Amino acid sequence: MFRFLMKGMLRDRHRSLLPSIVVALGVMLTVFMFAYMKGVFDDFFNNAALYDSGHVKITSRAYYEEKDVLPNDLAMEDGPALMKMLRGEYPELEWSERVKFGGLLDAFDENRETRAQVGAAGIGIDFFGPDTAERKRWNLSAGLQSGTLPQKSGDILMGKTLASQMKLGAGDEVTLISSTVNGSMVLQNFNVAGIIYFGTPPMDKGMFLADINDAKYMLDMGDWSSEVLGYFNTPYYDDVRARDLAASFNAAHSDSSDRFSPQMVVMLDDAGLSEYFGYAEKAGSIVSFIMIFAMGVVLWNTGLMGAIRRYGEMGLRLAVGESKAHVYLSLILESLGIAIMGTAVGTMFGLGFSYWLQEVGFNIGSMMGDSEMLMPTIIRAHITPTAFYIGFFPGVFATLLGSALSGLRIFKRDTASLFKELEI
Amino acid sequence: MRNLIPILFMGALPALLPAQPDAAEILRKIDHQMVTESSEATATMIITNRRGRESRITSRSWSKGETTSMVEYLSPAREKGVKMLRLDDVLWMYTPQADRVIQISGHMLRQSVSGSDLSYEDMVDNGKLLDIYDAAVVGEAEFMERPCYVLRLRAKKDADEVTYAQRKVWVDKTRFLPLKEERYAKNGSTLLKNFEIRSVQKIGDRWYPKEMFFKDVLANGQGTRYIIDDIKFNVDIPDYMFTKAALRE
């Protein structure tokens, strides 16, 4: 019967073409929107992980309580021992030490007198360690606009807009006025090795990267560690895995009575992103629901139009003895065929557009203006395995819903008046 | 005549009671003790941070008049060679590590000096109290077993912007040293800093603090002890010492 129905649908294009196009368009939009939302959220979380939180972060309890003011004086003692322990006990993660600090960057003239001063934030990362993954993680080579990556102690990379604002170029010297963990004012000279484009406006406007050892020396931290970030060997954050790890680490190594004992926090809690993560997790469901609703209404209407056009055919089929339920079932089966066909085509196009957005991206830099959000300027889609089947839910469900609703009219036909109607 | 005696006695009563001190006169005496024409001193600052750890900074300082001074850090090694020059209301800082001289102004003046409970403003703000404040004696009390006058100081309307708009000062009745101070913000109720003189020394005919204690009420540290190891008054200091060029030498 299904084969028979398919033949009928293919031969009578009025019966299949419009509903198929509607389904294909809806599914294409569903797949594309899902991949787009996934891409935006994933980039957002990846940025947070890269710049700020890692997938998990270890700080002292005291530091975490005041983390917004970068209290490096409350850092964990004996950082090297902590790193050794982490790499030994938790080898499934890449561990990176970071130190964040702020101050006034002071550009000077040939008489060493102040020429320009700008408030800036610095992050100390491991540029030179033998096992460092930071250069690759930050994708520094790709973002380098001029100069070189740091070659020696004292070299820094400066955000593109910040450098431009201070009229600094690669090779220039700049002084950072900051304070040590003891509160002493410190003036430290750095060499601008390269100008980098982070691709995130707040960072390009006000951030520079220094080697972590230089940063620690400047801050007079000795071997203390402010923050140790852990990254799973997967490109995307896994909340369940992160929470399991944090629970086991804190049970083994954290002491709630010691303010300076280490404490592991997962990215979502550290960066306050739990709510956003919830939205991201529900992105597929939200898009599917909207599409099911919208397409259902359209296909219901299409079904009603089809039913009017096929009014005579239905009447004849009922007149020759076909049961109403059978006619209804055949309509549902027809719609199933249309749904599968339209969904396949829609998914194909949806994946195609998503792939383009994933690879090429869409630059929204000019629209972000002075945004302080840690969002990348290039928006990209992200095709996940879910994108391959997400379209089937609205595609099939909405089509069946539309047909089921419009087909209900069959049961309202009065058999006694069929012959009168068929005289026409 | 019998009626006259009590009247005469009552007339003589004020002369028999202890003399009510004049607040301005007390300030003048404090200034006489604390402000010198010139001085050269070596001092140690002991800072206890919020982890309860102590750090020590030794420094050598020279001052001339009320508004000219130079401080050079002698230790620890990391701070050695750092110099600060005060010329009137302007403060310059030099660090040999960066070979830079920068002016400390604006909000930077409110920052702590080397993590201590003293701000750069405190360093600049050492003019004569009599020039800056109107004073009133509000009571008497004992502090560290010394009888004191308690004075309330309010900044004069025509005084330049002052760091502490109001102060409550416990002044030693005989040595005229401000043994204890509560330093307040403009509103008069927000306590910003506590100050105590914990021991004193007599140099010539002048009583001078030996050990002082500062506590920034808004900071998390546990206070700063400032000990004057050695001090000489009215010494001859060349003017060149108080120039920006001298910072780099």
Side-chain angles (χ1 to χ4, degrees), chain A residues 66 71 73-75 77 106 108 112 114 175 177 180 182-185 187 189 217-218 220 224 260, chain B residues 49-51 53 57 78-79 93 95 97-102 104 108 111-112 114-115 120 220 244 248:
Chain A
E66 299 177 28
D73 59 325
L74 302 176
E77 295 183 9
D106 183 291
F108 50 90
R112 301 187 81 76
T114 297
T175 303
I177 305 168
T180 69
N182 299 313
S184 293
M185 187 180 287
L187 276 69
N189 289 344
Y217 174 77
M218 180 196 75
D220 199 13
W224 292 5
F260 297 102
Chain B
N49 67 19
R50 57 174 164 166
R51 288 179 98 136
R53 294 189 183 161
I57 294 174
R78 190 185 163 87
E79 305 276 353
M93 182 178 180
T95 63
Q97 205 171 31
D99 189 25
R100 294 288 313 277
V101 176
I102 59 155
I104 298 175
M108 285 167 73
Q111 286 195 2
S112 136
S114 304
Y120 292 99
N220 291 319
K244 274 175 76 180
R248 281 201 162 91

Side-chain angles (χ1 to χ4, degrees), chain A residues 24-46:
Chain A
L25 278 173
V27 168
M28 185 187 77
L29 276 172
T30 304
V31 172
F32 181 75
M33 284 300 293
F34 174 77
Y36 166 78
M37 286 176 74
K38 254 333 238 183
V40 169
F41 277 119
D42 284 344
D43 277 350
F44 184 62
F45 295 129
N46 282 348

Side-chain angles (χ1 to χ4, degrees), chain A residues 7-272:
Chain A
K7 267 188 182 173
M9 275 165 47
L10 292 173
R11 285 173 186 168
D12 179 5
R13 281 196 204 159
H14 292 288
R15 221 192 281 183
S16 57
L17 192 62
L18 183 62
S20 297
I21 289 172
V22 170
V23 173
L25 278 173
V27 168
M28 185 187 77
L29 276 172
T30 304
V31 172
F32 181 75
M33 284 300 293
F34 174 77
Y36 166 78
M37 286 176 74
K38 254 333 238 183
V40 169
F41 277 119
D42 284 344
D43 277 350
F44 184 62
F45 295 129
N46 282 348
N47 266 9
L50 171 64
Y51 300 137
D52 190 36
S53 306
H55 291 149
V56 292
K57 183 197 272 185
I58 300 171
T59 63
S60 74
R61 287 173 170 272
Y63 181 98
Y64 188 72
E65 281 169 18
E66 299 177 28
K67 65 188 168 82
D68 293 339
V69 294
L70 308 178
N72 287 310
D73 59 325
L74 302 176
M76 298 169 287
E77 295 183 9
D78 202 357
L82 176 68
M83 292 299 285
K84 191 178 172 189
M85 180 272 285
L86 289 170
R87 286 177 176 142
E89 289 188 28
Y90 305 95
E92 69 273 24
L93 281 89
E94 285 178 357
W95 296 102
S96 296
E97 208 180 333
R98 298 268 176 88
V99 56
K100 294 183 204 150
F101 51 95
L104 271 177
L105 274 175
D106 183 291
F108 50 90
D109 59 20
E110 61 278 7
N111 300 317
R112 301 187 81 76
E113 296 288 342
T114 297
R115 178 173 59 74
Q117 263 186 2
V118 173
I123 300 182
I125 68 170
D126 185 3
F127 279 138
F128 307 121
D131 304 320
T132 184
E134 292 282 66
R135 283 181 181 234
K136 190 178 164 197
R137 184 173 297 122
W138 284 78
N139 203 12
L140 295 177
S141 301
L144 195 66
Q145 302 287 295
S146 63
T148 63
L149 294 182
Q151 307 291 313
K152 60 184 188 311
S153 172
D155 283 355
I156 60 169
L157 290 174
M158 186 173 279
K160 187 181 167 186
T161 318
L162 176 63
S164 158
Q165 192 182 351
M166 298 190 76
K167 295 187 173 61
L168 286 168
D172 287 340
E173 204 178 8
V174 66
T175 303
L176 177 71
I177 305 168
S178 185
S179 55
T180 69
V181 290
N182 299 313
S184 293
M185 187 180 287
V186 61
L187 276 69
Q188 181 80 36
N189 289 344
F190 289 106
N191 173 52
V192 182
I195 307 298
I196 195 158
Y197 177 60
F198 292 109
T200 305
M203 298 191 65
D204 285 313
K205 278 191 288 189
M207 184 159 282
F208 65 95
L209 298 178
D211 181 57
I212 189 152
N213 292 318
D214 292 337
K216 281 187 175 186
Y217 174 77
M218 180 196 75
L219 297 169
D220 199 13
M221 288 180 69
D223 64 358
W224 292 5
S225 286
S226 296
E227 300 182 358
V228 177
L229 275 53
Y231 294 90
F232 291 114
N233 295 318
T234 52
Y236 299 103
Y237 174 72
D238 181 341
D239 194 46
V240 175
R241 200 175 164 198
R243 286 190 190 280
D244 286 347
L245 178 75
S248 82
F249 176 90
N250 290 334
H253 301 287
S254 192
D255 175 2
S256 58
S257 64
D258 178 3
R259 292 184 75 220
F260 297 102
S261 74
Q263 171 182 257
M264 186 183 283
V265 181
V266 302
M267 180 183 86
L268 296 187
D269 293 346
D270 180 55

Side-chain angles (χ1 to χ4, degrees), chain B residues 120-230:
Chain B
Y120 292 99
E121 268 179 334
D122 289 329
M123 296 187 72
V124 175
D125 184 28
N126 66 349
K128 286 182 176 172
L129 292 175
L130 196 56
D131 295 340
I132 304 168
Y133 294 101
D134 288 322
V137 178
V138 293
E140 295 182 10
E142 203 166 88
F143 180 71
M144 292 178 73
E145 297 175 356
R146 301 284 306 173
C148 296
Y149 299 118
V150 182
L151 270 64
R152 170 73 72 178
L153 274 56
R154 284 192 169 82
K156 289 181 176 173
K157 281 180 184 164
D158 57 346
D160 291 336
E161 187 125 335
V162 293
T163 311
Y164 306 104
Q166 294 193 36
R167 299 186 188 203
K168 192 175 180 186
V169 188
W170 282 252
V171 186
D172 188 313
K173 276 186 172 178
T174 52
R175 294 170 180 168
F176 291 96
L177 285 174
L179 295 184
K180 181 183 172 185
E181 279 188 44
E182 290 171 355
R183 300 176 177 181
Y184 293 88
K186 262 185 185 167
N187 60 19
S189 60
T190 305
L191 179 62
L192 298 175
K193 205 158 283 185
N194 282 319
F195 166 80
E196 289 172 11
I197 294 177
R198 290 191 167 173
S199 66
V200 298
Q201 54 192 327
K202 192 162 190 185
I203 300 166
D205 62 348
R206 184 195 299 270
W207 284 100
Y208 203 75
K210 169 76 178 164
E211 180 180 337
M212 291 166 275
F213 179 76
F214 295 84
K215 176 71 186 85
D216 183 340
V217 178
L218 305 179
N220 291 319
Q222 295 177 23
T224 299
R225 289 163 62 202
Y226 192 94
I227 300 163
I228 297 172
D229 300 314
D230 177 49

